[in-house]
Amino acid sequence: MPAGLNRVCELITFSYPQDDSVGGAVPSGTVAYQNLSCRIEANMPTLALLEQGLQVPETWQVLVFPANIDAKHNDQIRITAPAGDWFYNKKFRIIGI
């Protein structure tokens, strides 16, 4: 395992297996991978993201181990450990891989 990975996370992926009674999609958040070692750090959004309408003051870069997982655009990463961490139980949406 690479050095510096100080958190544990899980990858949540979304599928749309059924429609509701009025035809709207019902997404299901399924945990695809658990107990992934990770490191998260803040960085400023690029000008290209700001021009596309991203309205957040900062983005986050996450290094996940192992790196051979199947992560897709709009999946989410949820920090699951350590329990006293600032990011504990917070979700981050993947906008780029």
Side-chain angles (χ1 to χ4, degrees):
M1 177 168 46
L5 302 179
N6 56 359
R7 292 182 174 91
V8 177
C9 67
E10 62 186 15
L11 179 77
I12 301 169
T13 188
F14 290 90
S15 63
Y16 299 92
Q18 62 183 358
D19 289 342
D20 62 4
S21 61
V22 292
V26 180
S28 67
T30 304
V31 176
Y33 299 96
Q34 293 181 347
N35 298 326
L36 299 170
S37 298
C38 68
R39 178 174 184 82
I40 185 168
E41 62 183 40
N43 54 359
M44 298 300 291
T46 62
L47 185 59
L49 287 174
L50 293 173
E51 288 174 350
Q52 293 175 17
L54 186 70
Q55 297 179 357
V56 295
E58 57 192 359
T59 57
W60 303 89
Q61 182 176 0
V62 179
L63 173 68
V64 177
F65 181 82
N68 62 350
I69 62 172
D70 185 25
K72 298 180 294 290
H73 183 73
N74 282 336
D75 285 352
Q76 292 181 356
I77 289 177
R78 184 168 68 101
I79 307 298
T80 58
D85 190 37
W86 176 262
F87 298 116
Y88 179 71
N89 222 10
K90 299 238 190 301
K91 293 181 181 177
F92 299 92
R93 182 173 311 274
I94 298 174
I95 60 171
I97 298 172

